[in-house]
Amino acid sequence: MPELLKGTALKWYIANNKHWRTWTSSATSFQEFFLPRDYFTNLLEEVTRRKQGVDEPFKRYMVEMQTLMRPLRFSKELERQQIYSCSLLISERLHARIRMAV
């Protein structure tokens, strides 16, 4: 692990690595130290606010959502539900485009 870190992160690792017994405890400690206090709360809020854009292709939207949700470790089923609940059906996209054209 020290080969991957530099600067403050390396110094932090050297000062604290003897306290961890598992990868999970080291990852949790790293997140608590380096991530902003409300990082996961804010990320979850961003995921719930994110909607597919009218002209946004579904595949692009899906990849963006998967990227946002990755640190939250959603189950595959919950991830799928979140993606589809915030995506636009073809009929909704068509209706939105007609409204924008008028």
Side-chain angles (χ1 to χ4, degrees):
M1 184 65 145
E3 299 83 19
L4 302 174
L5 302 173
K6 294 180 183 177
T8 303
L10 177 59
K11 289 178 184 177
W12 172 85
Y13 175 82
I14 291 168
N16 292 284
N17 69 19
K18 58 188 163 280
H19 303 294
W20 310 309
R21 302 251 185 259
T22 65
W23 170 254
T24 302
S25 65
S26 64
T28 300
S29 183
F30 183 88
Q31 290 171 350
E32 289 171 352
F33 189 81
F34 286 100
L35 293 179
R37 181 181 218 160
D38 295 329
Y39 176 78
F40 290 105
T41 301
N42 294 337
L43 185 57
L44 181 58
E45 288 173 3
E46 184 177 352
V47 165
T48 57
R49 283 192 313 267
R50 176 74 163 88
K51 307 289 185 232
Q52 182 183 5
V54 174
D55 292 323
E56 182 178 22
F58 178 77
K59 287 182 180 180
R60 182 178 304 147
Y61 162 75
M62 184 182 74
V63 170
E64 290 291 326
M65 287 292 283
Q66 288 174 322
T67 302
L68 281 173
M69 288 186 280
R70 186 166 186 245
L72 298 172
R73 298 182 181 199
F74 283 8
S75 68
K76 282 291 180 191
E77 182 58 32
L78 185 56
E79 183 178 292
R80 192 175 303 118
Q81 288 174 2
Q82 184 67 36
I83 289 170
Y84 286 111
S85 70
C86 295
S87 67
L88 295 174
L89 299 173
I90 293 173
S91 60
E92 293 171 326
R93 294 173 74 186
L94 182 59
H95 182 67
R97 284 184 183 155
I98 291 170
R99 277 195 325 236
M100 290 172 66
V102 174

mmCIF file of all heavy atoms in Angstrom, residues 59-87:
data_model
loop_
_atom_site.group_PDB
_atom_site.id
_atom_site.type_symbol
_atom_site.label_atom_id
_atom_site.label_comp_id
_atom_site.label_asym_id
_atom_site.label_seq_id
_atom_site.Cartn_x
_atom_site.Cartn_y
_atom_site.Cartn_z
ATOM 1 N N LYS A 59 -28.083 5.009 -22.199
ATOM 2 C CA LYS A 59 -26.820 4.367 -21.824
ATOM 3 C C LYS A 59 -25.891 5.335 -21.092
ATOM 4 O O LYS A 59 -25.235 4.959 -20.125
ATOM 5 C CB LYS A 59 -26.130 3.771 -23.045
ATOM 6 C CG LYS A 59 -26.817 2.522 -23.558
ATOM 7 C CD LYS A 59 -26.084 1.940 -24.739
ATOM 8 C CE LYS A 59 -26.795 0.692 -25.248
ATOM 9 N NZ LYS A 59 -26.105 0.118 -26.402
ATOM 10 N N ARG A 60 -25.836 6.583 -21.560
ATOM 11 C CA ARG A 60 -24.994 7.578 -20.895
ATOM 12 C C ARG A 60 -25.522 7.846 -19.477
ATOM 13 O O ARG A 60 -24.763 7.907 -18.518
ATOM 14 C CB ARG A 60 -24.940 8.879 -21.688
ATOM 15 C CG ARG A 60 -24.013 9.906 -21.015
ATOM 16 C CD ARG A 60 -23.893 11.191 -21.782
ATOM 17 N NE ARG A 60 -23.439 10.924 -23.136
ATOM 18 C CZ ARG A 60 -23.811 11.639 -24.188
ATOM 19 N NH1 ARG A 60 -24.639 12.645 -24.066
ATOM 20 N NH2 ARG A 60 -23.353 11.355 -25.390
ATOM 21 N N TYR A 61 -26.838 8.011 -19.381
ATOM 22 C CA TYR A 61 -27.473 8.234 -18.079
ATOM 23 C C TYR A 61 -27.191 7.059 -17.126
ATOM 24 O O TYR A 61 -26.832 7.258 -15.967
ATOM 25 C CB TYR A 61 -28.982 8.427 -18.270
ATOM 26 C CG TYR A 61 -29.797 8.231 -17.030
ATOM 27 C CD1 TYR A 61 -29.808 9.202 -16.031
ATOM 28 C CD2 TYR A 61 -30.539 7.078 -16.843
ATOM 29 C CE1 TYR A 61 -30.547 9.010 -14.871
ATOM 30 C CE2 TYR A 61 -31.278 6.890 -15.697
ATOM 31 C CZ TYR A 61 -31.275 7.859 -14.719
ATOM 32 O OH TYR A 61 -31.997 7.671 -13.571
ATOM 33 N N MET A 62 -27.332 5.834 -17.626
ATOM 34 C CA MET A 62 -27.118 4.649 -16.799
ATOM 35 C C MET A 62 -25.695 4.594 -16.264
ATOM 36 O O MET A 62 -25.472 4.350 -15.076
ATOM 37 C CB MET A 62 -27.422 3.384 -17.599
ATOM 38 C CG MET A 62 -27.303 2.117 -16.769
ATOM 39 S SD MET A 62 -27.599 0.623 -17.721
ATOM 40 C CE MET A 62 -26.095 0.522 -18.656
ATOM 41 N N VAL A 63 -24.711 4.859 -17.122
ATOM 42 C CA VAL A 63 -23.309 4.820 -16.692
ATOM 43 C C VAL A 63 -23.028 5.919 -15.667
ATOM 44 O O VAL A 63 -22.322 5.704 -14.676
ATOM 45 C CB VAL A 63 -22.357 4.910 -17.901
ATOM 46 C CG1 VAL A 63 -20.923 5.118 -17.466
ATOM 47 C CG2 VAL A 63 -22.491 3.664 -18.761
ATOM 48 N N GLU A 64 -23.598 7.104 -15.886
ATOM 49 C CA GLU A 64 -23.430 8.199 -14.919
ATOM 50 C C GLU A 64 -24.007 7.806 -13.557
ATOM 51 O O GLU A 64 -23.404 8.059 -12.515
ATOM 52 C CB GLU A 64 -24.111 9.473 -15.427
ATOM 53 C CG GLU A 64 -23.431 10.107 -16.618
ATOM 54 C CD GLU A 64 -22.080 10.706 -16.277
ATOM 55 O OE1 GLU A 64 -21.916 11.208 -15.150
ATOM 56 O OE2 GLU A 64 -21.196 10.679 -17.138
ATOM 57 N N MET A 65 -25.176 7.195 -13.574
ATOM 58 C CA MET A 65 -25.810 6.772 -12.318
ATOM 59 C C MET A 65 -25.000 5.676 -11.634
ATOM 60 O O MET A 65 -24.790 5.714 -10.417
ATOM 61 C CB MET A 65 -27.241 6.290 -12.577
ATOM 62 C CG MET A 65 -28.214 7.401 -12.891
ATOM 63 S SD MET A 65 -28.526 8.492 -11.488
ATOM 64 C CE MET A 65 -29.632 7.471 -10.524
ATOM 65 N N GLN A 66 -24.524 4.717 -12.391
ATOM 66 C CA GLN A 66 -23.707 3.653 -11.814
ATOM 67 C C GLN A 66 -22.445 4.218 -11.177
ATOM 68 O O GLN A 66 -22.022 3.789 -10.102
ATOM 69 C CB GLN A 66 -23.338 2.617 -12.878
ATOM 70 C CG GLN A 66 -24.495 1.759 -13.309
ATOM 71 C CD GLN A 66 -24.143 0.850 -14.470
ATOM 72 O OE1 GLN A 66 -23.399 1.244 -15.375
ATOM 73 N NE2 GLN A 66 -24.668 -0.352 -14.453
ATOM 74 N N THR A 67 -21.849 5.202 -11.837
ATOM 75 C CA THR A 67 -20.641 5.842 -11.319
ATOM 76 C C THR A 67 -20.935 6.565 -10.006
ATOM 77 O O THR A 67 -20.166 6.467 -9.043
ATOM 78 C CB THR A 67 -20.060 6.814 -12.363
ATOM 79 O OG1 THR A 67 -19.782 6.093 -13.560
ATOM 80 C CG2 THR A 67 -18.795 7.480 -11.862
ATOM 81 N N LEU A 68 -22.058 7.288 -9.966
ATOM 82 C CA LEU A 68 -22.438 7.986 -8.740
ATOM 83 C C LEU A 68 -22.715 7.009 -7.596
ATOM 84 O O LEU A 68 -22.349 7.260 -6.454
ATOM 85 C CB LEU A 68 -23.701 8.837 -8.967
ATOM 86 C CG LEU A 68 -23.540 10.162 -9.665
ATOM 87 C CD1 LEU A 68 -24.914 10.773 -9.949
ATOM 88 C CD2 LEU A 68 -22.701 11.117 -8.836
ATOM 89 N N MET A 69 -23.370 5.898 -7.905
ATOM 90 C CA MET A 69 -23.798 4.963 -6.869
ATOM 91 C C MET A 69 -22.702 4.020 -6.384
ATOM 92 O O MET A 69 -22.820 3.430 -5.318
ATOM 93 C CB MET A 69 -24.994 4.142 -7.364
ATOM 94 C CG MET A 69 -26.259 4.953 -7.456
ATOM 95 S SD MET A 69 -27.696 3.966 -7.871
ATOM 96 C CE MET A 69 -27.479 3.808 -9.643
ATOM 97 N N ARG A 70 -21.636 3.892 -7.129
ATOM 98 C CA ARG A 70 -20.593 2.914 -6.777
ATOM 99 C C ARG A 70 -20.084 3.062 -5.345
ATOM 100 O O ARG A 70 -20.017 2.079 -4.609
ATOM 101 C CB ARG A 70 -19.449 3.002 -7.776
ATOM 102 C CG ARG A 70 -18.407 1.926 -7.543
ATOM 103 C CD ARG A 70 -17.473 1.804 -8.734
ATOM 104 N NE ARG A 70 -16.588 0.688 -8.533
ATOM 105 C CZ ARG A 70 -15.268 0.811 -8.385
ATOM 106 N NH1 ARG A 70 -14.710 1.986 -8.456
ATOM 107 N NH2 ARG A 70 -14.523 -0.243 -8.202
ATOM 108 N N PRO A 71 -19.717 4.266 -4.903
ATOM 109 C CA PRO A 71 -19.228 4.379 -3.516
ATOM 110 C C PRO A 71 -20.297 4.072 -2.463
ATOM 111 O O PRO A 71 -19.971 3.772 -1.321
ATOM 112 C CB PRO A 71 -18.795 5.847 -3.397
ATOM 113 C CG PRO A 71 -18.673 6.343 -4.787
ATOM 114 C CD PRO A 71 -19.608 5.529 -5.623
ATOM 115 N N LEU A 72 -21.566 4.132 -2.853
ATOM 116 C CA LEU A 72 -22.652 3.877 -1.907
ATOM 117 C C LEU A 72 -22.929 2.389 -1.728
ATOM 118 O O LEU A 72 -23.663 2.000 -0.825
ATOM 119 C CB LEU A 72 -23.933 4.599 -2.366
ATOM 120 C CG LEU A 72 -23.815 6.116 -2.430
ATOM 121 C CD1 LEU A 72 -25.056 6.709 -3.078
ATOM 122 C CD2 LEU A 72 -23.590 6.699 -1.051
ATOM 123 N N ARG A 73 -22.357 1.583 -2.607
ATOM 124 C CA ARG A 73 -22.463 0.119 -2.534
ATOM 125 C C ARG A 73 -23.901 -0.378 -2.504
ATOM 126 O O ARG A 73 -24.267 -1.223 -1.692
ATOM 127 C CB ARG A 73 -21.679 -0.415 -1.345
ATOM 128 C CG ARG A 73 -20.215 -0.098 -1.463
ATOM 129 C CD ARG A 73 -19.415 -0.641 -0.365
ATOM 130 N NE ARG A 73 -18.029 -0.242 -0.582
ATOM 131 C CZ ARG A 73 -17.019 -0.832 -0.011
ATOM 132 N NH1 ARG A 73 -17.215 -1.831 0.794
ATOM 133 N NH2 ARG A 73 -15.804 -0.413 -0.240
ATOM 134 N N PHE A 74 -24.706 0.157 -3.396
ATOM 135 C CA PHE A 74 -26.078 -0.324 -3.555
ATOM 136 C C PHE A 74 -26.037 -1.764 -4.055
ATOM 137 O O PHE A 74 -25.129 -2.149 -4.780
ATOM 138 C CB PHE A 74 -26.826 0.498 -4.609
ATOM 139 C CG PHE A 74 -27.302 1.848 -4.154
ATOM 140 C CD1 PHE A 74 -26.942 2.387 -2.939
ATOM 141 C CD2 PHE A 74 -28.125 2.588 -4.961
ATOM 142 C CE1 PHE A 74 -27.395 3.624 -2.534
ATOM 143 C CE2 PHE A 74 -28.590 3.839 -4.577
ATOM 144 C CZ PHE A 74 -28.217 4.353 -3.355
ATOM 145 N N SER A 75 -27.040 -2.548 -3.701
ATOM 146 C CA SER A 75 -27.178 -3.874 -4.301
ATOM 147 C C SER A 75 -27.509 -3.671 -5.779
ATOM 148 O O SER A 75 -27.986 -2.606 -6.172
ATOM 149 C CB SER A 75 -28.300 -4.652 -3.615
ATOM 150 O OG SER A 75 -29.554 -4.053 -3.902
ATOM 151 N N LYS A 76 -27.279 -4.689 -6.577
ATOM 152 C CA LYS A 76 -27.598 -4.587 -8.010
ATOM 153 C C LYS A 76 -29.077 -4.275 -8.212
ATOM 154 O O LYS A 76 -29.441 -3.488 -9.075
ATOM 155 C CB LYS A 76 -27.237 -5.877 -8.748
ATOM 156 C CG LYS A 76 -25.774 -5.997 -9.030
ATOM 157 C CD LYS A 76 -25.368 -4.960 -10.062
ATOM 158 C CE LYS A 76 -23.904 -5.064 -10.374
ATOM 159 N NZ LYS A 76 -23.454 -3.930 -11.161
ATOM 160 N N GLU A 77 -29.941 -4.877 -7.407
ATOM 161 C CA GLU A 77 -31.377 -4.646 -7.546
ATOM 162 C C GLU A 77 -31.741 -3.204 -7.188
ATOM 163 O O GLU A 77 -32.492 -2.550 -7.911
ATOM 164 C CB GLU A 77 -32.169 -5.619 -6.662
ATOM 165 C CG GLU A 77 -33.669 -5.475 -6.786
ATOM 166 C CD GLU A 77 -34.181 -5.663 -8.218
ATOM 167 O OE1 GLU A 77 -33.591 -6.432 -8.990
ATOM 168 O OE2 GLU A 77 -35.190 -5.011 -8.553
ATOM 169 N N LEU A 78 -31.198 -2.689 -6.102
ATOM 170 C CA LEU A 78 -31.484 -1.314 -5.703
ATOM 171 C C LEU A 78 -30.918 -0.327 -6.730
ATOM 172 O O LEU A 78 -31.555 0.675 -7.068
ATOM 173 C CB LEU A 78 -30.913 -1.020 -4.315
ATOM 174 C CG LEU A 78 -31.227 0.337 -3.709
ATOM 175 C CD1 LEU A 78 -32.741 0.571 -3.648
ATOM 176 C CD2 LEU A 78 -30.614 0.444 -2.329
ATOM 177 N N GLU A 79 -29.738 -0.633 -7.244
ATOM 178 C CA GLU A 79 -29.130 0.201 -8.284
ATOM 179 C C GLU A 79 -30.038 0.242 -9.515
ATOM 180 O O GLU A 79 -30.320 1.306 -10.063
ATOM 181 C CB GLU A 79 -27.765 -0.375 -8.650
ATOM 182 C CG GLU A 79 -26.994 0.425 -9.653
ATOM 183 C CD GLU A 79 -25.633 -0.190 -9.908
ATOM 184 O OE1 GLU A 79 -24.782 -0.183 -8.999
ATOM 185 O OE2 GLU A 79 -25.434 -0.689 -11.042
ATOM 186 N N ARG A 80 -30.519 -0.911 -9.933
ATOM 187 C CA ARG A 80 -31.400 -1.009 -11.097
ATOM 188 C C ARG A 80 -32.693 -0.221 -10.862
ATOM 189 O O ARG A 80 -33.143 0.523 -11.734
ATOM 190 C CB ARG A 80 -31.709 -2.473 -11.382
ATOM 191 C CG ARG A 80 -32.380 -2.732 -12.711
ATOM 192 C CD ARG A 80 -32.550 -4.218 -12.999
ATOM 193 N NE ARG A 80 -31.277 -4.938 -12.964
ATOM 194 C CZ ARG A 80 -30.986 -5.919 -12.101
ATOM 195 N NH1 ARG A 80 -31.864 -6.323 -11.229
ATOM 196 N NH2 ARG A 80 -29.816 -6.497 -12.124
ATOM 197 N N GLN A 81 -33.281 -0.369 -9.687
ATOM 198 C CA GLN A 81 -34.512 0.360 -9.363
ATOM 199 C C GLN A 81 -34.297 1.865 -9.427
ATOM 200 O O GLN A 81 -35.126 2.598 -9.963
ATOM 201 C CB GLN A 81 -35.014 -0.023 -7.971
ATOM 202 C CG GLN A 81 -35.603 -1.397 -7.882
ATOM 203 C CD GLN A 81 -35.945 -1.767 -6.451
ATOM 204 O OE1 GLN A 81 -35.777 -0.987 -5.525
ATOM 205 N NE2 GLN A 81 -36.416 -2.989 -6.267
ATOM 206 N N GLN A 82 -33.184 2.332 -8.866
ATOM 207 C CA GLN A 82 -32.893 3.770 -8.858
ATOM 208 C C GLN A 82 -32.712 4.296 -10.274
ATOM 209 O O GLN A 82 -33.223 5.355 -10.629
ATOM 210 C CB GLN A 82 -31.655 4.060 -8.011
ATOM 211 C CG GLN A 82 -31.336 5.516 -7.854
ATOM 212 C CD GLN A 82 -32.388 6.259 -7.051
ATOM 213 O OE1 GLN A 82 -32.955 5.726 -6.115
ATOM 214 N NE2 GLN A 82 -32.663 7.486 -7.426
ATOM 215 N N ILE A 83 -32.011 3.558 -11.092
ATOM 216 C CA ILE A 83 -31.772 3.981 -12.472
ATOM 217 C C ILE A 83 -33.083 4.072 -13.237
ATOM 218 O O ILE A 83 -33.375 5.080 -13.867
ATOM 219 C CB ILE A 83 -30.783 3.026 -13.178
ATOM 220 C CG1 ILE A 83 -29.375 3.226 -12.597
ATOM 221 C CG2 ILE A 83 -30.777 3.254 -14.688
ATOM 222 C CD1 ILE A 83 -28.362 2.192 -13.031
ATOM 223 N N TYR A 84 -33.888 3.026 -13.170
ATOM 224 C CA TYR A 84 -35.127 3.018 -13.951
ATOM 225 C C TYR A 84 -36.180 3.962 -13.400
ATOM 226 O O TYR A 84 -36.966 4.520 -14.161
ATOM 227 C CB TYR A 84 -35.670 1.599 -14.092
ATOM 228 C CG TYR A 84 -34.866 0.793 -15.074
ATOM 229 C CD1 TYR A 84 -34.073 -0.264 -14.651
ATOM 230 C CD2 TYR A 84 -34.857 1.119 -16.423
ATOM 231 C CE1 TYR A 84 -33.306 -0.991 -15.550
ATOM 232 C CE2 TYR A 84 -34.096 0.410 -17.333
ATOM 233 C CZ TYR A 84 -33.316 -0.648 -16.884
ATOM 234 O OH TYR A 84 -32.552 -1.346 -17.775
ATOM 235 N N SER A 85 -36.198 4.193 -12.092
ATOM 236 C CA SER A 85 -37.207 5.094 -11.535
ATOM 237 C C SER A 85 -36.952 6.545 -11.929
ATOM 238 O O SER A 85 -37.872 7.356 -11.963
ATOM 239 C CB SER A 85 -37.264 4.973 -10.016
ATOM 240 O OG SER A 85 -36.105 5.509 -9.423
ATOM 241 N N CYS A 86 -35.720 6.887 -12.260
ATOM 242 C CA CYS A 86 -35.384 8.265 -12.621
ATOM 243 C C CYS A 86 -35.122 8.438 -14.116
ATOM 244 O O CYS A 86 -34.730 9.507 -14.560
ATOM 245 C CB CYS A 86 -34.164 8.728 -11.828
ATOM 246 S SG CYS A 86 -34.467 8.812 -10.064
ATOM 247 N N SER A 87 -35.336 7.373 -14.883
ATOM 248 C CA SER A 87 -35.143 7.487 -16.328
ATOM 249 C C SER A 87 -36.448 7.894 -16.985
ATOM 250 O O SER A 87 -37.525 7.714 -16.427
ATOM 251 C CB SER A 87 -34.649 6.165 -16.913
ATOM 252 O OG SER A 87 -35.650 5.175 -16.803
#
